[in-house]
Amino acid sequence: MHYFTLLLGPEATEEPDAETQAAIMAAYTEFHASAGAAIKAGDALAGSAATVRITGGPDHPVVTDGPFAEGAEVAGGYYVFEADDLDDALGIARRIPACQEGAVEVWPMVGWESPTERIGSDWFALLLEPADQPCTPGTEEWESGECRHAEFGRNAGEHILGGAPLHPPSTATTVRVRDGQLLLTDGPYAEGAEVASGFYLLRATDRDEAVKIASMIPATTVHLHRLVGVSDL
């Protein structure tokens, strides 16, 4: 089964020095070596100042540039794992360096459209829906949503590199490690008005085209992030 993990943590107020950057890179290199083939995709996300928030849906999109002050924690990266079960996925997630100071959300995915091309400095679109309106696979609401996303797929075409819907927030687990102790919490990290429902990996020639494509996604809110493109996955 495939699991989506969203890395959350405090955003740096200034650029880390060379020694700190080297330590961070070494920690993630070690994690990648330990997780091995379980990692199917992943990358770092550009800072929140480069994030775009899109609301209103495809019919009346409203685009707002970041940063957004309402959250103390920001998304800094993502992974897709292949694991036997949730316990296996959590065992992998606990080794992610982001767990030490921030948190990692682990979500079971409903399928996985794996990219057929190498991901570089492309775009990551995180789909958000109201927390009090979970959508469960197999329901009429879910089937209706699938039709809307199929239409988006036809319209966006080759701009879509991959993506997946996520199971409802009740299936998510937040992972933290503090002083060497594993802390697991049911549900997403923050008790916000919106929770993740899926994601897309998008390719666009520039920011304006990326925003145009993301504005077509049938979601209550879309957070559009630039991928840093540092991953060799």
Side-chain angles (χ1 to χ4, degrees), residues 70-115:
E70 63 267 21
E73 309 289 331
V74 297
Y78 85 98
Y79 285 107
V80 172
F81 298 147
E82 185 172 18
D84 292 335
D85 51 33
L86 178 59
D87 288 341
D88 188 21
L90 295 177
I92 301 169
R94 68 176 297 178
R95 303 199 299 271
I96 300 175
C99 288
Q100 300 294 328
E101 294 184 359
V104 171
E105 291 181 355
V106 179
W107 298 72
M109 297 161 58
V110 184
W112 165 230
E113 292 293 332
S114 178

Side-chain angles (χ1 to χ4, degrees), residues 10-104:
E11 185 165 33
T13 56
E14 58 185 26
E15 188 74 15
D17 57 34
E19 183 177 354
T20 301
Q21 287 184 346
I24 294 172
M25 290 299 296
Y28 276 94
T29 298
E30 182 180 351
F31 166 66
H32 287 180
S34 68
I39 304 177
K40 297 304 179 183
D43 207 339
L45 307 179
S48 64
T51 302
V52 178
R53 181 181 173 92
I54 304 169
T55 58
D59 294 334
H60 305 285
V62 176
V63 178
T64 307
D65 292 328
F68 308 106
E70 63 267 21
E73 309 289 331
V74 297
Y78 85 98
Y79 285 107
V80 172
F81 298 147
E82 185 172 18
D84 292 335
D85 51 33
L86 178 59
D87 288 341
D88 188 21
L90 295 177
I92 301 169
R94 68 176 297 178
R95 303 199 299 271
I96 300 175
C99 288
Q100 300 294 328
E101 294 184 359
V104 171

